[in-house]
Amino acid sequence: MTDTYVSHLECSKTGETYPVGEVHGLSRAGYPLLVRYHLEELSRHVSKSTIADSNEDGFWRYAPFLPVTRPENRISLGEFRTPLIRLRHSITSLGGIEENVMVKDEGRLPTGSFKARGLCLAVSMAKELGLKHLAIPTNGNAGSALAAYARRCDLQATVLCPADTPEINVREIQQQGADTWRVNGLINDCGKIVNQGKEKTGWFDVSTLKEPYRIEGKKTMGLELAEQCDWKLPDAIFYPTGGGTGLIGMWKAFQELKEIGWVEGPLPRMVAVQASTCAPIVKAWKQGKENAEFWPDASTVAAGIRVPKAIGDFLIIRAVNESNGFCIDVSDDEILSARDHLSKSEGVLLCPEGAATLAAYKNALKDGQVQQDDRIVLFNCATGLKYPLPPVSGALDKDAAIDFSKFGNGQRFES
Ligand SMILES: *Cc1c(COP(=O)(O)O)cnc(C)c1O
């Protein structure tokens, strides 16, 4: 046993408590469970300099804030702290101020997305609790993170993807050792099958928010961001929101840090960004509701946020409201032109979900929802390389006379 500070688990809706050290899915009332800590005790034993002196480079440096008890259960595939990239000229042309906007590039993590954080924690806890077989519905990135971390510690993984999940993602999942299936439906249809199979197969359901630990993994984004900003948090965080684990997790991190006095003042405004063609949270928030309705015919180029119904909808909306943030949607055209703008003007290639946050920032700035001098962090959640890119038209015939006047025009691809 080492120093873990977990006190209990708690139903996010009713507050009912559950003991640690047992396998839990949803609460008895059917809501996500949150992990609670003895924060006062933690703060007596752990300081900012304990963290600074940690020889862990990745998120395990925040182990005191995490639920894994035994160090041998901390699985790793070489995580590290992801960079904050300050944007320059690309942001002035959108009306912003250079250096005030940063991209946190999560695409550098193992399996190429921030799903690594959540699934690493979920799998580590599954190992600790003696589970053998994990199953997940996925739009791609969660499945590949589950596959990789499960194989890393010899657990079995079954992954169900919507039939139209990009080929690259489905193959990646299978290549990392998971039992991989396409389903002729959306992610919620995959989720139903995972749920139905629990008794027959004995697998454990690691769907978004249906077990307590993926949130804790995503919480490390907030802890890491705080440490990287020298414990002075930004004014607003734009987060591409599907199931909302990351937004909920970061907000939980900030509250825990505030409670122990490591951060002060107003916490960042949490901004939930969705695609206009799948925006259930934005719709509910605008109507002043706590729960979102199922969004029919969900489709968007930003596959990671194609979630027509989120079980943690009320937790997302609660975090947005408590932080004085807002919800905003952007069209697929805006997403792709934001991606093209940033990569072509500044060499930062975002995934479409990450690009959605840039498009949302641009609109929010125009509408006065954020100000030019606000310090902003945009989350790029996956590597842009996993997504289809436009074809290249330039071709040269080495045997013909070459017209050198046509080279070096960086604007060639500009629309
Ligand atoms: C899963 C995913 C999201 C959404 O994350 P949540 O925390 O579940 O809302 C956004 N972008 C990418 C690339 C993803 O894989």
Side-chain angles (χ1 to χ4, degrees), residues 291-328:
N291 293 106
E293 284 161 32
F294 178 83
W295 187 281
D297 304 322
S299 78
T300 165
V301 289
I305 52 176
R306 190 174 60 154
V307 179
K309 174 75 188 157
I311 184 168
D313 48 5
F314 65 104
L315 294 172
I316 303 170
I317 291 172
R318 195 188 285 172
V320 167
N321 288 335
E322 282 178 1
S323 69
N324 192 28
F326 55 95
C327 297
I328 182 169

PDB file of all heavy atoms in Angstrom, residues 291-328:
ATOM      1  N   ASN A 291     -30.634  18.632 -18.451  1.00  0.00           N
ATOM      2  CA  ASN A 291     -30.423  17.400 -19.213  1.00  0.00           C
ATOM      3  C   ASN A 291     -30.653  17.656 -20.686  1.00  0.00           C
ATOM      4  O   ASN A 291     -31.503  18.460 -21.063  1.00  0.00           O
ATOM      5  CB  ASN A 291     -31.379  16.305 -18.738  1.00  0.00           C
ATOM      6  CG  ASN A 291     -31.057  15.879 -17.313  1.00  0.00           C
ATOM      7  OD1 ASN A 291     -31.772  16.222 -16.382  1.00  0.00           O
ATOM      8  ND2 ASN A 291     -29.959  15.167 -17.135  1.00  0.00           N
ATOM      9  N   ALA A 292     -29.891  16.944 -21.513  1.00  0.00           N
ATOM     10  CA  ALA A 292     -29.997  17.128 -22.958  1.00  0.00           C
ATOM     11  C   ALA A 292     -30.849  16.016 -23.557  1.00  0.00           C
ATOM     12  O   ALA A 292     -30.855  14.898 -23.064  1.00  0.00           O
ATOM     13  CB  ALA A 292     -28.606  17.116 -23.572  1.00  0.00           C
ATOM     14  N   GLU A 293     -31.530  16.360 -24.633  1.00  0.00           N
ATOM     15  CA  GLU A 293     -32.292  15.333 -25.349  1.00  0.00           C
ATOM     16  C   GLU A 293     -31.380  14.623 -26.345  1.00  0.00           C
ATOM     17  O   GLU A 293     -30.395  15.200 -26.815  1.00  0.00           O
ATOM     18  CB  GLU A 293     -33.417  15.996 -26.153  1.00  0.00           C
ATOM     19  CG  GLU A 293     -34.588  16.425 -25.312  1.00  0.00           C
ATOM     20  CD  GLU A 293     -35.426  17.460 -26.058  1.00  0.00           C
ATOM     21  OE1 GLU A 293     -35.490  17.401 -27.312  1.00  0.00           O
ATOM     22  OE2 GLU A 293     -35.988  18.328 -25.371  1.00  0.00           O
ATOM     23  N   PHE A 294     -31.770  13.411 -26.698  1.00  0.00           N
ATOM     24  CA  PHE A 294     -31.069  12.664 -27.744  1.00  0.00           C
ATOM     25  C   PHE A 294     -31.068  13.486 -29.034  1.00  0.00           C
ATOM     26  O   PHE A 294     -32.093  14.055 -29.415  1.00  0.00           O
ATOM     27  CB  PHE A 294     -31.779  11.326 -27.963  1.00  0.00           C
ATOM     28  CG  PHE A 294     -31.173  10.501 -29.046  1.00  0.00           C
ATOM     29  CD1 PHE A 294     -30.064   9.708 -28.779  1.00  0.00           C
ATOM     30  CD2 PHE A 294     -31.687  10.519 -30.337  1.00  0.00           C
ATOM     31  CE1 PHE A 294     -29.485   8.947 -29.782  1.00  0.00           C
ATOM     32  CE2 PHE A 294     -31.105   9.761 -31.346  1.00  0.00           C
ATOM     33  CZ  PHE A 294     -30.009   8.980 -31.068  1.00  0.00           C
ATOM     34  N   TRP A 295     -29.909  13.567 -29.690  1.00  0.00           N
ATOM     35  CA  TRP A 295     -29.790  14.342 -30.931  1.00  0.00           C
ATOM     36  C   TRP A 295     -29.874  13.388 -32.123  1.00  0.00           C
ATOM     37  O   TRP A 295     -28.967  12.592 -32.350  1.00  0.00           O
ATOM     38  CB  TRP A 295     -28.459  15.081 -30.943  1.00  0.00           C
ATOM     39  CG  TRP A 295     -28.311  16.036 -32.087  1.00  0.00           C
ATOM     40  CD1 TRP A 295     -27.995  15.716 -33.373  1.00  0.00           C
ATOM     41  CD2 TRP A 295     -28.477  17.454 -32.043  1.00  0.00           C
ATOM     42  NE1 TRP A 295     -27.950  16.852 -34.135  1.00  0.00           N
ATOM     43  CE2 TRP A 295     -28.244  17.936 -33.348  1.00  0.00           C
ATOM     44  CE3 TRP A 295     -28.799  18.373 -31.033  1.00  0.00           C
ATOM     45  CZ2 TRP A 295     -28.322  19.290 -33.660  1.00  0.00           C
ATOM     46  CZ3 TRP A 295     -28.869  19.715 -31.356  1.00  0.00           C
ATOM     47  CH2 TRP A 295     -28.644  20.170 -32.657  1.00  0.00           C
ATOM     48  N   PRO A 296     -30.974  13.450 -32.884  1.00  0.00           N
ATOM     49  CA  PRO A 296     -31.117  12.495 -33.994  1.00  0.00           C
ATOM     50  C   PRO A 296     -30.169  12.805 -35.160  1.00  0.00           C
ATOM     51  O   PRO A 296     -29.788  13.963 -35.354  1.00  0.00           O
ATOM     52  CB  PRO A 296     -32.580  12.652 -34.419  1.00  0.00           C
ATOM     53  CG  PRO A 296     -33.019  13.970 -33.888  1.00  0.00           C
ATOM     54  CD  PRO A 296     -32.116  14.374 -32.769  1.00  0.00           C
ATOM     55  N   ASP A 297     -29.824  11.788 -35.917  1.00  0.00           N
ATOM     56  CA  ASP A 297     -28.991  11.923 -37.128  1.00  0.00           C
ATOM     57  C   ASP A 297     -27.685  12.688 -36.899  1.00  0.00           C
ATOM     58  O   ASP A 297     -27.295  13.521 -37.719  1.00  0.00           O
ATOM     59  CB  ASP A 297     -29.776  12.623 -38.254  1.00  0.00           C
ATOM     60  CG  ASP A 297     -31.067  11.903 -38.573  1.00  0.00           C
ATOM     61  OD1 ASP A 297     -31.046  10.657 -38.541  1.00  0.00           O
ATOM     62  OD2 ASP A 297     -32.083  12.582 -38.819  1.00  0.00           O
ATOM     63  N   ALA A 298     -27.048  12.403 -35.774  1.00  0.00           N
ATOM     64  CA  ALA A 298     -25.805  13.099 -35.465  1.00  0.00           C
ATOM     65  C   ALA A 298     -24.737  12.778 -36.506  1.00  0.00           C
ATOM     66  O   ALA A 298     -24.522  11.622 -36.844  1.00  0.00           O
ATOM     67  CB  ALA A 298     -25.314  12.668 -34.091  1.00  0.00           C
ATOM     68  N   SER A 299     -24.111  13.823 -37.047  1.00  0.00           N
ATOM     69  CA  SER A 299     -22.994  13.585 -37.962  1.00  0.00           C
ATOM     70  C   SER A 299     -22.100  14.810 -37.937  1.00  0.00           C
ATOM     71  O   SER A 299     -22.581  15.937 -37.841  1.00  0.00           O
ATOM     72  CB  SER A 299     -23.512  13.353 -39.384  1.00  0.00           C
ATOM     73  OG  SER A 299     -23.864  14.593 -39.963  1.00  0.00           O
ATOM     74  N   THR A 300     -20.806  14.597 -37.958  1.00  0.00           N
ATOM     75  CA  THR A 300     -19.854  15.713 -38.039  1.00  0.00           C
ATOM     76  C   THR A 300     -18.477  15.172 -38.412  1.00  0.00           C
ATOM     77  O   THR A 300     -18.169  14.008 -38.135  1.00  0.00           O
ATOM     78  CB  THR A 300     -19.755  16.504 -36.711  1.00  0.00           C
ATOM     79  OG1 THR A 300     -18.580  17.324 -36.740  1.00  0.00           O
ATOM     80  CG2 THR A 300     -19.673  15.607 -35.495  1.00  0.00           C
ATOM     81  N   VAL A 301     -17.673  16.039 -39.029  1.00  0.00           N
ATOM     82  CA  VAL A 301     -16.291  15.638 -39.339  1.00  0.00           C
ATOM     83  C   VAL A 301     -15.484  15.418 -38.054  1.00  0.00           C
ATOM     84  O   VAL A 301     -14.471  14.740 -38.067  1.00  0.00           O
ATOM     85  CB  VAL A 301     -15.542  16.692 -40.186  1.00  0.00           C
ATOM     86  CG1 VAL A 301     -16.098  16.729 -41.601  1.00  0.00           C
ATOM     87  CG2 VAL A 301     -15.579  18.076 -39.544  1.00  0.00           C
ATOM     88  N   ALA A 302     -15.961  16.009 -36.963  1.00  0.00           N
ATOM     89  CA  ALA A 302     -15.263  15.863 -35.687  1.00  0.00           C
ATOM     90  C   ALA A 302     -15.832  14.645 -34.956  1.00  0.00           C
ATOM     91  O   ALA A 302     -16.642  14.754 -34.034  1.00  0.00           O
ATOM     92  CB  ALA A 302     -15.428  17.136 -34.859  1.00  0.00           C
ATOM     93  N   ALA A 303     -15.387  13.459 -35.389  1.00  0.00           N
ATOM     94  CA  ALA A 303     -15.996  12.201 -34.920  1.00  0.00           C
ATOM     95  C   ALA A 303     -15.953  12.043 -33.402  1.00  0.00           C
ATOM     96  O   ALA A 303     -16.858  11.474 -32.807  1.00  0.00           O
ATOM     97  CB  ALA A 303     -15.279  11.020 -35.574  1.00  0.00           C
ATOM     98  N   GLY A 304     -14.920  12.582 -32.775  1.00  0.00           N
ATOM     99  CA  GLY A 304     -14.766  12.421 -31.328  1.00  0.00           C
ATOM    100  C   GLY A 304     -15.847  13.112 -30.513  1.00  0.00           C
ATOM    101  O   GLY A 304     -16.043  12.807 -29.342  1.00  0.00           O
ATOM    102  N   ILE A 305     -16.533  14.064 -31.127  1.00  0.00           N
ATOM    103  CA  ILE A 305     -17.596  14.743 -30.397  1.00  0.00           C
ATOM    104  C   ILE A 305     -18.980  14.415 -30.997  1.00  0.00           C
ATOM    105  O   ILE A 305     -19.951  15.118 -30.768  1.00  0.00           O
ATOM    106  CB  ILE A 305     -17.366  16.278 -30.303  1.00  0.00           C
ATOM    107  CG1 ILE A 305     -17.106  16.914 -31.659  1.00  0.00           C
ATOM    108  CG2 ILE A 305     -16.191  16.553 -29.369  1.00  0.00           C
ATOM    109  CD1 ILE A 305     -16.963  18.450 -31.601  1.00  0.00           C
ATOM    110  N   ARG A 306     -19.026  13.314 -31.737  1.00  0.00           N
ATOM    111  CA  ARG A 306     -20.321  12.877 -32.254  1.00  0.00           C
ATOM    112  C   ARG A 306     -20.983  11.986 -31.208  1.00  0.00           C
ATOM    113  O   ARG A 306     -20.989  10.767 -31.309  1.00  0.00           O
ATOM    114  CB  ARG A 306     -20.143  12.130 -33.584  1.00  0.00           C
ATOM    115  CG  ARG A 306     -21.474  11.889 -34.269  1.00  0.00           C
ATOM    116  CD  ARG A 306     -21.301  11.283 -35.634  1.00  0.00           C
ATOM    117  NE  ARG A 306     -20.624   9.991 -35.586  1.00  0.00           N
ATOM    118  CZ  ARG A 306     -20.775   9.034 -36.501  1.00  0.00           C
ATOM    119  NH1 ARG A 306     -21.552   9.230 -37.540  1.00  0.00           N
ATOM    120  NH2 ARG A 306     -20.136   7.902 -36.386  1.00  0.00           N
ATOM    121  N   VAL A 307     -21.524  12.616 -30.191  1.00  0.00           N
ATOM    122  CA  VAL A 307     -22.170  11.890 -29.094  1.00  0.00           C
ATOM    123  C   VAL A 307     -23.588  12.441 -28.955  1.00  0.00           C
ATOM    124  O   VAL A 307     -23.788  13.531 -28.419  1.00  0.00           O
ATOM    125  CB  VAL A 307     -21.376  12.072 -27.773  1.00  0.00           C
ATOM    126  CG1 VAL A 307     -22.065  11.330 -26.632  1.00  0.00           C
ATOM    127  CG2 VAL A 307     -19.943  11.574 -27.939  1.00  0.00           C
ATOM    128  N   PRO A 308     -24.590  11.696 -29.466  1.00  0.00           N
ATOM    129  CA  PRO A 308     -25.948  12.243 -29.485  1.00  0.00           C
ATOM    130  C   PRO A 308     -26.609  12.331 -28.110  1.00  0.00           C
ATOM    131  O   PRO A 308     -27.532  13.120 -27.923  1.00  0.00           O
ATOM    132  CB  PRO A 308     -26.718  11.273 -30.387  1.00  0.00           C
ATOM    133  CG  PRO A 308     -25.884  10.051 -30.495  1.00  0.00           C
ATOM    134  CD  PRO A 308     -24.469  10.431 -30.187  1.00  0.00           C
ATOM    135  N   LYS A 309     -26.091  11.538 -27.149  1.00  0.00           N
ATOM    136  CA  LYS A 309     -26.701  11.576 -25.808  1.00  0.00           C
ATOM    137  C   LYS A 309     -25.601  11.280 -24.793  1.00  0.00           C
ATOM    138  O   LYS A 309     -24.961  10.232 -24.858  1.00  0.00           O
ATOM    139  CB  LYS A 309     -27.820  10.522 -25.719  1.00  0.00           C
ATOM    140  CG  LYS A 309     -28.439  10.345 -24.344  1.00  0.00           C
ATOM    141  CD  LYS A 309     -29.365  11.482 -23.973  1.00  0.00           C
ATOM    142  CE  LYS A 309     -29.820  11.362 -22.518  1.00  0.00           C
ATOM    143  NZ  LYS A 309     -30.242  12.647 -21.948  1.00  0.00           N
ATOM    144  N   ALA A 310     -25.353  12.228 -23.905  1.00  0.00           N
ATOM    145  CA  ALA A 310     -24.279  12.043 -22.925  1.00  0.00           C
ATOM    146  C   ALA A 310     -24.874  11.768 -21.551  1.00  0.00           C
ATOM    147  O   ALA A 310     -25.712  12.527 -21.068  1.00  0.00           O
ATOM    148  CB  ALA A 310     -23.404  13.295 -22.877  1.00  0.00           C
ATOM    149  N   ILE A 311     -24.411  10.706 -20.922  1.00  0.00           N
ATOM    150  CA  ILE A 311     -24.952  10.328 -19.620  1.00  0.00           C
ATOM    151  C   ILE A 311     -24.594  11.366 -18.548  1.00  0.00           C
ATOM    152  O   ILE A 311     -25.309  11.560 -17.573  1.00  0.00           O
ATOM    153  CB  ILE A 311     -24.477   8.911 -19.233  1.00  0.00           C
ATOM    154  CG1 ILE A 311     -25.114   8.449 -17.926  1.00  0.00           C
ATOM    155  CG2 ILE A 311     -22.975   8.814 -19.131  1.00  0.00           C
ATOM    156  CD1 ILE A 311     -24.921   6.976 -17.648  1.00  0.00           C
ATOM    157  N   GLY A 312     -23.506  12.099 -18.783  1.00  0.00           N
ATOM    158  CA  GLY A 312     -23.095  13.131 -17.818  1.00  0.00           C
ATOM    159  C   GLY A 312     -23.512  14.533 -18.243  1.00  0.00           C
ATOM    160  O   GLY A 312     -22.912  15.517 -17.812  1.00  0.00           O
ATOM    161  N   ASP A 313     -24.582  14.615 -19.071  1.00  0.00           N
ATOM    162  CA  ASP A 313     -25.016  15.938 -19.565  1.00  0.00           C
ATOM    163  C   ASP A 313     -25.154  16.965 -18.434  1.00  0.00           C
ATOM    164  O   ASP A 313     -24.657  18.090 -18.523  1.00  0.00           O
ATOM    165  CB  ASP A 313     -26.328  15.828 -20.369  1.00  0.00           C
ATOM    166  CG  ASP A 313     -27.421  15.015 -19.681  1.00  0.00           C
ATOM    167  OD1 ASP A 313     -27.232  14.590 -18.522  1.00  0.00           O
ATOM    168  OD2 ASP A 313     -28.494  14.810 -20.311  1.00  0.00           O
ATOM    169  N   PHE A 314     -25.785  16.558 -17.329  1.00  0.00           N
ATOM    170  CA  PHE A 314     -26.025  17.515 -16.231  1.00  0.00           C
ATOM    171  C   PHE A 314     -24.714  17.928 -15.552  1.00  0.00           C
ATOM    172  O   PHE A 314     -24.611  19.026 -15.017  1.00  0.00           O
ATOM    173  CB  PHE A 314     -27.021  16.946 -15.212  1.00  0.00           C
ATOM    174  CG  PHE A 314     -26.517  15.728 -14.459  1.00  0.00           C
ATOM    175  CD1 PHE A 314     -26.093  15.849 -13.142  1.00  0.00           C
ATOM    176  CD2 PHE A 314     -26.458  14.479 -15.060  1.00  0.00           C
ATOM    177  CE1 PHE A 314     -25.627  14.751 -12.433  1.00  0.00           C
ATOM    178  CE2 PHE A 314     -25.980  13.369 -14.364  1.00  0.00           C
ATOM    179  CZ  PHE A 314     -25.558  13.501 -13.053  1.00  0.00           C
ATOM    180  N   LEU A 315     -23.704  17.049 -15.607  1.00  0.00           N
ATOM    181  CA  LEU A 315     -22.412  17.404 -15.001  1.00  0.00           C
ATOM    182  C   LEU A 315     -21.661  18.408 -15.878  1.00  0.00           C
ATOM    183  O   LEU A 315     -20.983  19.303 -15.385  1.00  0.00           O
ATOM    184  CB  LEU A 315     -21.562  16.145 -14.789  1.00  0.00           C
ATOM    185  CG  LEU A 315     -22.115  15.146 -13.765  1.00  0.00           C
ATOM    186  CD1 LEU A 315     -21.304  13.857 -13.782  1.00  0.00           C
ATOM    187  CD2 LEU A 315     -22.119  15.762 -12.365  1.00  0.00           C
ATOM    188  N   ILE A 316     -21.799  18.243 -17.198  1.00  0.00           N
ATOM    189  CA  ILE A 316     -21.174  19.194 -18.129  1.00  0.00           C
ATOM    190  C   ILE A 316     -21.808  20.569 -17.924  1.00  0.00           C
ATOM    191  O   ILE A 316     -21.118  21.576 -17.741  1.00  0.00           O
ATOM    192  CB  ILE A 316     -21.377  18.746 -19.601  1.00  0.00           C
ATOM    193  CG1 ILE A 316     -20.819  17.342 -19.837  1.00  0.00           C
ATOM    194  CG2 ILE A 316     -20.756  19.754 -20.556  1.00  0.00           C
ATOM    195  CD1 ILE A 316     -21.200  16.735 -21.193  1.00  0.00           C
ATOM    196  N   ILE A 317     -23.141  20.584 -17.947  1.00  0.00           N
ATOM    197  CA  ILE A 317     -23.868  21.851 -17.842  1.00  0.00           C
ATOM    198  C   ILE A 317     -23.616  22.499 -16.477  1.00  0.00           C
ATOM    199  O   ILE A 317     -23.423  23.719 -16.374  1.00  0.00           O
ATOM    200  CB  ILE A 317     -25.371  21.627 -18.140  1.00  0.00           C
ATOM    201  CG1 ILE A 317     -25.516  21.281 -19.631  1.00  0.00           C
ATOM    202  CG2 ILE A 317     -26.209  22.847 -17.771  1.00  0.00           C
ATOM    203  CD1 ILE A 317     -26.893  20.845 -20.069  1.00  0.00           C
ATOM    204  N   ARG A 318     -23.515  21.677 -15.442  1.00  0.00           N
ATOM    205  CA  ARG A 318     -23.225  22.197 -14.106  1.00  0.00           C
ATOM    206  C   ARG A 318     -21.842  22.869 -14.082  1.00  0.00           C
ATOM    207  O   ARG A 318     -21.695  23.974 -13.564  1.00  0.00           O
ATOM    208  CB  ARG A 318     -23.264  21.030 -13.109  1.00  0.00           C
ATOM    209  CG  ARG A 318     -23.333  21.455 -11.664  1.00  0.00           C
ATOM    210  CD  ARG A 318     -23.172  20.237 -10.744  1.00  0.00           C
ATOM    211  NE  ARG A 318     -24.357  19.391 -10.691  1.00  0.00           N
ATOM    212  CZ  ARG A 318     -24.385  18.200 -10.079  1.00  0.00           C
ATOM    213  NH1 ARG A 318     -23.305  17.701  -9.491  1.00  0.00           N
ATOM    214  NH2 ARG A 318     -25.497  17.492 -10.042  1.00  0.00           N
ATOM    215  N   ALA A 319     -20.849  22.212 -14.673  1.00  0.00           N
ATOM    216  CA  ALA A 319     -19.489  22.779 -14.670  1.00  0.00           C
ATOM    217  C   ALA A 319     -19.458  24.085 -15.479  1.00  0.00           C
ATOM    218  O   ALA A 319     -18.828  25.068 -15.075  1.00  0.00           O
ATOM    219  CB  ALA A 319     -18.489  21.777 -15.244  1.00  0.00           C
ATOM    220  N   VAL A 320     -20.152  24.090 -16.610  1.00  0.00           N
ATOM    221  CA  VAL A 320     -20.204  25.300 -17.437  1.00  0.00           C
ATOM    222  C   VAL A 320     -20.826  26.448 -16.634  1.00  0.00           C
ATOM    223  O   VAL A 320     -20.291  27.558 -16.575  1.00  0.00           O
ATOM    224  CB  VAL A 320     -20.993  25.032 -18.743  1.00  0.00           C
ATOM    225  CG1 VAL A 320     -21.343  26.329 -19.459  1.00  0.00           C
ATOM    226  CG2 VAL A 320     -20.197  24.110 -19.658  1.00  0.00           C
ATOM    227  N   ASN A 321     -21.932  26.162 -15.980  1.00  0.00           N
ATOM    228  CA  ASN A 321     -22.623  27.221 -15.229  1.00  0.00           C
ATOM    229  C   ASN A 321     -21.850  27.656 -13.988  1.00  0.00           C
ATOM    230  O   ASN A 321     -21.723  28.849 -13.718  1.00  0.00           O
ATOM    231  CB  ASN A 321     -24.043  26.779 -14.861  1.00  0.00           C
ATOM    232  CG  ASN A 321     -24.950  26.766 -16.090  1.00  0.00           C
ATOM    233  OD1 ASN A 321     -24.691  27.483 -17.066  1.00  0.00           O
ATOM    234  ND2 ASN A 321     -25.987  25.955 -16.054  1.00  0.00           N
ATOM    235  N   GLU A 322     -21.334  26.686 -13.239  1.00  0.00           N
ATOM    236  CA  GLU A 322     -20.589  27.043 -12.024  1.00  0.00           C
ATOM    237  C   GLU A 322     -19.359  27.889 -12.356  1.00  0.00           C
ATOM    238  O   GLU A 322     -18.919  28.707 -11.555  1.00  0.00           O
ATOM    239  CB  GLU A 322     -20.125  25.777 -11.285  1.00  0.00           C
ATOM    240  CG  GLU A 322     -21.223  25.114 -10.476  1.00  0.00           C
ATOM    241  CD  GLU A 322     -20.755  23.820  -9.794  1.00  0.00           C
ATOM    242  OE1 GLU A 322     -19.572  23.430  -9.914  1.00  0.00           O
ATOM    243  OE2 GLU A 322     -21.606  23.192  -9.146  1.00  0.00           O
ATOM    244  N   SER A 323     -18.811  27.660 -13.542  1.00  0.00           N
ATOM    245  CA  SER A 323     -17.589  28.386 -13.910  1.00  0.00           C
ATOM    246  C   SER A 323     -17.903  29.681 -14.651  1.00  0.00           C
ATOM    247  O   SER A 323     -16.989  30.352 -15.124  1.00  0.00           O
ATOM    248  CB  SER A 323     -16.712  27.491 -14.793  1.00  0.00           C
ATOM    249  OG  SER A 323     -17.332  27.310 -16.064  1.00  0.00           O
ATOM    250  N   ASN A 324     -19.201  29.982 -14.798  1.00  0.00           N
ATOM    251  CA  ASN A 324     -19.591  31.162 -15.548  1.00  0.00           C
ATOM    252  C   ASN A 324     -19.144  31.059 -17.016  1.00  0.00           C
ATOM    253  O   ASN A 324     -18.817  32.047 -17.658  1.00  0.00           O
ATOM    254  CB  ASN A 324     -18.994  32.422 -14.886  1.00  0.00           C
ATOM    255  CG  ASN A 324     -19.585  33.688 -15.441  1.00  0.00           C
ATOM    256  OD1 ASN A 324     -20.732  33.693 -15.902  1.00  0.00           O
ATOM    257  ND2 ASN A 324     -18.795  34.767 -15.439  1.00  0.00           N
ATOM    258  N   GLY A 325     -19.112  29.833 -17.516  1.00  0.00           N
ATOM    259  CA  GLY A 325     -18.711  29.606 -18.902  1.00  0.00           C
ATOM    260  C   GLY A 325     -19.908  29.615 -19.834  1.00  0.00           C
ATOM    261  O   GLY A 325     -20.953  30.178 -19.507  1.00  0.00           O
ATOM    262  N   PHE A 326     -19.762  28.999 -20.995  1.00  0.00           N
ATOM    263  CA  PHE A 326     -20.872  28.945 -21.945  1.00  0.00           C
ATOM    264  C   PHE A 326     -20.706  27.753 -22.880  1.00  0.00           C
ATOM    265  O   PHE A 326     -19.668  27.089 -22.880  1.00  0.00           O
ATOM    266  CB  PHE A 326     -21.012  30.261 -22.722  1.00  0.00           C
ATOM    267  CG  PHE A 326     -19.768  30.705 -23.438  1.00  0.00           C
ATOM    268  CD1 PHE A 326     -19.556  30.404 -24.777  1.00  0.00           C
ATOM    269  CD2 PHE A 326     -18.790  31.444 -22.762  1.00  0.00           C
ATOM    270  CE1 PHE A 326     -18.406  30.821 -25.429  1.00  0.00           C
ATOM    271  CE2 PHE A 326     -17.626  31.877 -23.414  1.00  0.00           C
ATOM    272  CZ  PHE A 326     -17.442  31.561 -24.755  1.00  0.00           C
ATOM    273  N   CYS A 327     -21.763  27.480 -23.643  1.00  0.00           N
ATOM    274  CA  CYS A 327     -21.736  26.394 -24.628  1.00  0.00           C
ATOM    275  C   CYS A 327     -21.882  27.020 -26.010  1.00  0.00           C
ATOM    276  O   CYS A 327     -22.633  27.984 -26.176  1.00  0.00           O
ATOM    277  CB  CYS A 327     -22.884  25.417 -24.393  1.00  0.00           C
ATOM    278  SG  CYS A 327     -22.798  24.578 -22.806  1.00  0.00           S
ATOM    279  N   ILE A 328     -21.211  26.477 -26.977  1.00  0.00           N
ATOM    280  CA  ILE A 328     -21.182  27.108 -28.297  1.00  0.00           C
ATOM    281  C   ILE A 328     -21.003  26.031 -29.364  1.00  0.00           C
ATOM    282  O   ILE A 328     -20.306  25.043 -29.127  1.00  0.00           O
ATOM    283  CB  ILE A 328     -20.041  28.167 -28.334  1.00  0.00           C
ATOM    284  CG1 ILE A 328     -19.974  28.903 -29.669  1.00  0.00           C
ATOM    285  CG2 ILE A 328     -18.690  27.570 -27.987  1.00  0.00           C
ATOM    286  CD1 ILE A 328     -19.040  30.129 -29.626  1.00  0.00           C
TER     287      ILE A 328
END
